[in-house]
Amino acid sequence: MGNCYEIISSPSLPVIVCIFLSASGHVGIIKAIGFYISDINIDLKTTPTDMGVALGLLNTVFFVPSPIIAALYRYHFLRRPLVISGACLQTLGVAFLSLATSKAQMIIFLSMTGFGIATLITCCILTLHHVAQENYNLCYGLGLSGYGAGMVLLPIVAEFLRHPYGWRGGLLIISALIAHTIPCAVGMRMKFAEVSTQRNGFKPIESSSTGPSEMDIREEGEATKCHGLGLSEGDNQYRHVDGFRRFTNILRESDFYKDPVFTLIFGVDFAFYMVYSGWHSFLVPHVLQRGISVQKTIILTFSGAVGNTLSRCGVGAITNHQFKPIDVYILATILNIGALLVDVLVVNYYVMLVTSCISAMSVGGRAVVTTLIERERASPDKFDVIYSLARCTSGGGMFLGGYLGGLVADTFSSFNATFTMLPIIDAVVLILILVMKCNPKPDDIGNFQLRNVSTPDDG
């Protein structure tokens, strides 16, 4: 209860609400298009492969621009324009999609939607990193629980609007509902650095390594440069040497040099988001192709939404103090592989209710835990770099997952083939995350050995 009171009374609350609304819009758009996919294919003369490419690009653009957005976010005067423009682009992309007359326009407008969501959520998550230090895991999970709400609410609206307005009118009205994110983005407080960091006792620019700090390296470089100019003024040789030293020092201070196994997180992200994109993009067509009615499909998405919401909130809560994020990730991966295999082998609606709930819990929980693993293992002052690079890698996985999902379904004329592919990819995810688990952060190993050595032997 104490943590809940702190969240409600802190600057984190508006950020959580903004993440929640944007996340619900993201997955809701994908699910709504899943209900409209047959109408869109007839109207725009597209195929499942085309839809896979379009949805894959939406998810790719949601991730790939993150390094650029994170770099722009470091300029304080750009933060508010970035947040507001992201909320506007998210809404306009869906509105323009309802007016599309060709496959190319559909791809462009879905990409615009993905870029808007990327801008908004990236800025909100980096803001949350500053304003919610101790409760970051819980706040992050609560914000991303919007994916669970979007999985069921917008599909219900989409199906309700389908008969009277068609897919175009349905998407136009959905864009108006998503527009509620804009006033939330406008109302966010972006001037937080001085107040919130002091309140939480957080020192934002402080390296976790035992080596020299970046300030020391910078001063040493400047001293070297001045000394070189004194020896031979106008000679560029010393400048080249100084630049090389700075570059090597940056590499040695990076998390990738100090912790080489950490680079596996990019492989984990890439493979996991292939599963994420394939499962979310083709769950509804997969269910409808098995002859299940639209009403039962909505109930099934509701089951998945419940699992998604519970997992995102639950993961944020249990990793806040009790369990390590990487252990939760391993368990969730194993559960998803089992659920996907059962879904493929057993064609039964009630079994699918359970498997979709488990898969939604696994996919949603791991989407949260991935960032928590990065934040826990990375240096505090380099989190924005690691986070943005990982999202860029994830975008490639999202595109490939959507493309391969549609291609496999097109090749075998069955979305069941797509769901046969997903557990194979998830097995690769499991292998990579187990390697990371067996090779913890070097600082953690040193601290563990230090505690064992410092414990006196009573014998």
Side-chain angles (χ1 to χ4, degrees), residues 96 233 361:
F96 290 155
E233 194 167 303
M361 289 179 67

Side-chain angles (χ1 to χ4, degrees), residues 59-89:
N59 291 318
T60 300
V61 177
F62 172 65
F63 285 100
V64 170
S66 295
I68 299 173
I69 297 169
L72 294 175
Y73 179 85
R74 291 195 168 191
Y75 296 93
H76 291 261
F77 67 93
L78 288 178
R79 289 177 179 174
R80 185 170 296 279
L82 281 173
V83 170
I84 296 173
S85 62
C88 293
L89 284 175

Side-chain angles (χ1 to χ4, degrees), residues 213-449:
S213 64
E214 291 181 2
M215 184 66 72
D216 295 334
I217 294 169
R218 192 180 298 112
E219 290 174 357
E220 180 184 351
E222 290 174 358
T224 305
K225 181 177 180 181
C226 293
H227 181 64
L229 289 173
L231 288 173
S232 177
E233 194 167 303
D235 191 354
N236 290 328
Q237 177 182 359
Y238 296 102
R239 294 184 181 180
H240 294 313
V241 172
D242 180 53
F244 179 75
R245 282 183 180 178
R246 289 187 179 186
F247 179 72
T248 54
N249 283 332
I250 290 172
L251 288 180
R252 288 175 181 174
E253 284 293 305
S254 70
D255 289 322
F256 306 116
Y257 182 87
K258 295 183 291 184
D259 185 13
V261 179
F262 188 43
T263 55
L264 286 179
I265 194 66
F266 297 111
V268 171
D269 272 354
F270 187 88
F272 163 66
Y273 277 99
M274 286 181 66
V275 178
Y276 184 100
S277 178
W279 188 83
H280 273 296
S281 299
F282 299 107
L283 174 64
V284 172
H286 169 62
V287 177
L288 293 174
Q289 192 179 58
R290 287 185 166 182
I292 297 172
S293 66
V294 172
Q295 289 74 16
K296 288 186 175 181
T297 302
I298 291 176
I299 295 173
L300 190 141
T301 59
F302 176 76
S303 172
V306 170
N308 197 301
T309 303
L310 290 177
S311 67
R312 290 178 187 268
C313 295
V315 160
I318 66 176
T319 58
N320 215 37
H321 298 293
Q322 288 85 6
F323 298 95
K324 284 187 172 295
I326 196 167
D327 296 330
V328 176
Y329 194 103
I330 292 170
L331 177 61
T333 305
I334 295 172
L335 286 175
N336 192 48
I337 292 172
L340 289 171
L341 290 174
V342 172
D343 182 86
V344 170
L345 299 174
V346 182
V347 184
N348 183 281
Y349 173 70
Y350 298 102
V351 172
M352 290 183 69
L353 277 175
V354 178
T355 57
S356 65
C357 182
I358 294 174
S359 290
M361 289 179 67
S362 172
V363 170
R366 283 187 289 169
V368 175
V369 172
T370 302
T371 301
L372 302 184
I373 293 173
E374 295 161 4
R375 189 170 185 263
E376 183 182 71
R377 193 148 179 168
S379 300
D381 56 321
K382 300 181 179 69
F383 170 69
D384 57 343
V385 177
I386 300 298
Y387 173 75
S388 59
L389 289 176
R391 284 178 63 85
C392 189
T393 305
S394 303
M398 290 288 264
F399 174 76
L400 188 59
Y403 171 73
L404 285 181
L407 181 63
V408 170
D410 233 1
T411 303
F412 293 94
S413 300
S414 172
F415 289 105
N416 199 56
T418 301
F419 274 68
T420 305
M421 174 188 71
L422 298 181
I424 299 173
I425 301 173
D426 230 359
V428 177
V429 176
L430 181 61
I431 293 171
L432 293 176
I433 199 67
L434 284 174
V435 173
M436 286 190 65
K437 170 67 176 176
C438 296
N439 295 271
K441 188 176 179 180
D443 290 344
D444 295 340
I445 298 174
N447 293 334
F448 176 77
Q449 293 174 345

Side-chain angles (χ1 to χ4, degrees), residues 40-234:
I40 295 174
N41 286 340
I42 294 171
D43 198 355
L44 300 184
K45 297 180 175 59
T46 55
T47 64
T49 303
D50 297 330
M51 295 304 300
V53 170
L55 293 174
L57 276 175
L58 182 152
N59 291 318
T60 300
V61 177
F62 172 65
F63 285 100
V64 170
S66 295
I68 299 173
I69 297 169
L72 294 175
Y73 179 85
R74 291 195 168 191
Y75 296 93
H76 291 261
F77 67 93
L78 288 178
R79 289 177 179 174
R80 185 170 296 279
L82 281 173
V83 170
I84 296 173
S85 62
C88 293
L89 284 175
Q90 175 183 358
T91 303
L92 290 174
V94 182
F96 290 155
L97 176 62
S98 67
L99 306 175
T101 57
S102 67
K103 178 175 66 176
Q105 290 180 358
M106 177 184 69
I107 291 174
I108 292 171
F109 296 145
L110 281 176
S111 300
M112 180 191 299
T113 303
F115 183 75
I117 300 170
T119 304
L120 180 58
I121 285 191
T122 301
C123 292
C124 287
I125 290 174
L126 294 179
T127 301
L128 195 64
H129 175 64
H130 291 279
V131 301
Q133 295 305 315
E134 295 180 356
N135 296 317
Y136 180 87
N137 293 11
L138 181 58
C139 293
Y140 186 67
L142 289 174
L144 291 188
S145 65
Y147 278 101
M151 278 185 68
V152 64
L153 294 179
L154 287 186
I156 292 175
V157 173
E159 180 58 25
F160 177 77
L161 298 172
R162 180 181 181 182
H163 295 292
Y165 300 106
W167 71 271
R168 295 183 182 275
L171 287 178
L172 188 62
I173 296 173
I174 287 173
S175 70
L177 295 176
I178 296 173
H180 287 83
T181 312
I182 298 175
C184 293
V186 172
M188 277 179 54
R189 290 172 54 191
M190 304 303 296
K191 295 181 180 179
F192 52 81
E194 295 81 5
V195 177
S196 62
T197 53
Q198 291 175 6
R199 181 184 303 168
N200 290 289
F202 177 67
K203 297 178 181 179
I205 311 297
E206 185 174 357
S207 177
S208 61
S209 66
T210 57
S213 64
E214 291 181 2
M215 184 66 72
D216 295 334
I217 294 169
R218 192 180 298 112
E219 290 174 357
E220 180 184 351
E222 290 174 358
T224 305
K225 181 177 180 181
C226 293
H227 181 64
L229 289 173
L231 288 173
S232 177
E233 194 167 303

